[in-house]
Amino acid sequence: MRSLSEKRPPARRRPTAFLLSALLVAGLAIPAAAATRSVSDVVLVDSGSVITDDLYAAGNRVVIAGRVAGDLIVAAYEDVTITGTVTGDVVGVAGSVVVTGNVGESLRVAAPEVVVSGRVGDDVLAAAWSATLDGEVAGEVTLWSWAADVGGRIGGDLEGQMRTLDLHGRIDHNVDVSVRRLTVSDETSVGSDLGFRSPRPAVGIEDADVGGAVVHRLPLAPNIRIRALVLLAKVVLGLLAAIAGLVVMWALPGLTSRAIARVSESWWRAWLRGLGVLALPVVVVGQALLLLRLAPLQAAIPFLGVLGPMFIALLGLVLMLGFVAPAAVFPWLGRIGQPRRGPVRAFVYSAALVVLASLIPWVSWVIVLVLFPIGIGGWVVAAPISETAEGASPAAV
């Protein structure tokens, strides 16, 4: 590792997305009259070193072991570690942010992992997958995270939205959070009100020391306007699916006839094949999450660089097959009980039925999880592209 005072070789090229994020962070910062700028593989402020103005740093890793007498504006591909002192604000994005030293003013970061076990002199604003606060924060804390563990001491309010929150520290003022699951230990102390919005009661909250009221609110029901917009969106999507299906039946009559025949021959096999296709992007996401959980971030990122384009390609394949799925499944559905009905007429009848049924709560999920996989499965083995399509057009209306 090299300190800022050493002469370093020219920085290696970094991924475009990383450089763009660095420029974005720098652009959001308030311009300073004087600032030290450093771009390197590892940006290190040695213990005992002092930066007398703001520091703009970008690299694979940024380590502050000394003192920055100003703000730290940072973008790191792997991690930002502050074991020394930053007298001003810390603003940045990184693979992880760990503060075991002192931040004189605000900490405002976005990272998969944020850990604050040191001291922050003002507020904390963090967007993270996992957030751990067991140090001291003089001001308020706002968190958006999947999982949060809040201990230590918070001098202001605790706010934000998390899926899970473990609370076992001291909050001098109010707690107002939206959570899926809240766990409160008997070591928790809240100076004023403890309010949480959750579908379930908190665990252990009766043993906490709460100076004000404990307020449990259920998640808000959808607004009537939002419900109306959802219904309108379902109707529009249904009409678009019907139009797409008719266009496909007109443009690819031979392949459409093969897809309909496959569905009619064995709809449950087509459904299983369709579910397999829909599961491919989910499998890629699961592999990415497993890598992030089991491997160090610096080792997982190169694999994520491969899985990302793979996920985009598979998602595009699923969307394309979803576009043509109605042409295979709607004619089959419309012929149930009326086998002599023509495919176009059967398509129109079933499309109208599906659009109306989708307005019923939960039925739209049945349509997505049953009908569309059947249609996708019909196309998966309908015919190789190199084969000559059989049949000039679907049967007459």
Side-chain angles (χ1 to χ4, degrees):
M1 297 188 298
R2 298 181 175 86
S3 67
L4 289 179
S5 59
E6 295 179 8
K7 186 177 180 180
R8 64 177 67 86
R12 294 181 293 177
R13 292 186 177 181
R14 299 286 162 234
T16 303
F18 168 67
L19 293 178
L20 288 176
S21 65
L23 293 174
L24 175 62
V25 172
L28 292 176
I30 300 175
T36 299
R37 293 170 173 81
S38 179
V39 178
S40 182
D41 185 31
V42 177
V43 178
L44 170 64
V45 179
D46 292 318
S47 177
S49 299
V50 178
I51 305 299
T52 57
D53 48 25
D54 297 341
L55 174 60
Y56 291 15
N60 271 354
R61 302 185 63 215
V62 176
V63 180
I64 308 298
R67 178 182 178 87
V68 177
D71 298 334
L72 172 63
I73 312 300
V74 61
Y77 197 62
E78 295 181 11
D79 60 86
V80 174
T81 303
I82 301 175
T83 59
T85 299
V86 178
T87 62
D89 297 330
V90 175
V91 181
V93 293
S96 66
V97 176
V98 179
V99 178
T100 59
N102 295 303
V103 175
E105 297 182 10
S106 300
L107 175 69
R108 297 170 183 174
V109 293
E113 181 183 18
V114 174
V115 178
V116 178
S117 56
R119 185 181 188 281
V120 178
D122 202 338
D123 62 285
V124 171
L125 174 63
W129 179 268
S130 171
T132 302
L133 277 75
D134 53 8
E136 180 181 355
V137 179
E140 67 179 26
V141 173
T142 303
L143 296 177
W144 292 290
S145 67
W146 181 267
D149 187 322
V150 178
R153 178 177 180 179
I154 298 175
D157 299 334
L158 171 62
E159 300 176 344
Q161 184 167 354
M162 316 92 180
R163 185 170 179 83
T164 62
L165 171 62
D166 292 332
L167 196 59
H168 53 89
R170 173 180 173 182
I171 296 91
D172 289 349
H173 293 132
N174 300 303
V175 174
D176 187 7
V177 294
S178 296
V179 296
R180 182 74 177 177
R181 180 179 63 82
L182 174 62
T183 302
V184 183
S185 74
D186 55 4
E187 303 172 355
T188 303
S189 173
V190 179
S192 189
D193 298 337
L194 196 165
F196 64 101
R197 190 179 298 278
S198 174
R200 63 185 68 177
V203 177
I205 198 168
E206 61 277 358
D207 297 325
D209 180 15
V210 180
V214 175
V215 182
H216 177 201
R217 293 164 293 178
L218 294 176
L220 294 174
N223 185 280
I224 187 64
R225 293 182 180 178
I226 296 177
R227 292 181 179 179
L229 288 175
V230 170
L231 292 177
L232 179 60
K234 289 181 178 180
V235 172
V236 172
L237 289 175
L239 292 176
L240 290 176
I243 294 171
L246 289 173
V247 170
V248 171
M249 292 178 69
W250 171 78
L252 303 170
L255 293 179
T256 302
S257 297
R258 284 172 174 263
I260 296 172
R262 287 288 185 179
V263 172
S264 301
E265 179 185 356
S266 179
W267 66 266
W268 64 270
R269 289 181 181 175
W271 178 67
L272 291 177
R273 288 193 297 267
L275 285 181
V277 173
L278 292 175
L280 292 177
V282 179
V283 171
V284 173
V285 172
Q287 290 177 339
L289 294 178
L290 186 63
L291 278 172
L292 289 175
R293 185 175 182 84
L294 299 180
L297 186 64
Q298 56 268 31
I301 283 179
F303 291 100
L304 295 179
V306 175
L307 293 177
M310 185 183 300
F311 170 78
I312 294 174
L314 291 174
L315 185 61
L317 174 64
V318 169
L319 293 176
M320 181 188 69
L321 290 173
F323 179 81
V324 299
V329 70
F330 283 6
W332 164 78
L333 182 64
R335 283 175 170 172
I336 296 178
Q338 295 288 339
R340 300 181 62 182
R341 183 177 288 163
V344 176
R345 183 178 296 177
F347 182 98
V348 173
Y349 286 160
S350 60
L353 176 63
V354 168
V355 170
L356 292 176
S358 66
L359 302 180
I360 303 174
W362 302 110
V363 175
S364 55
W365 287 107
V366 175
I367 294 171
V368 172
L369 296 177
V370 176
L371 290 184
F372 272 86
I374 292 175
I376 291 174
W379 282 99
V380 167
V381 293
I385 295 176
S386 60
E387 288 190 26
T388 303
E390 294 182 0
S393 62
V397 175

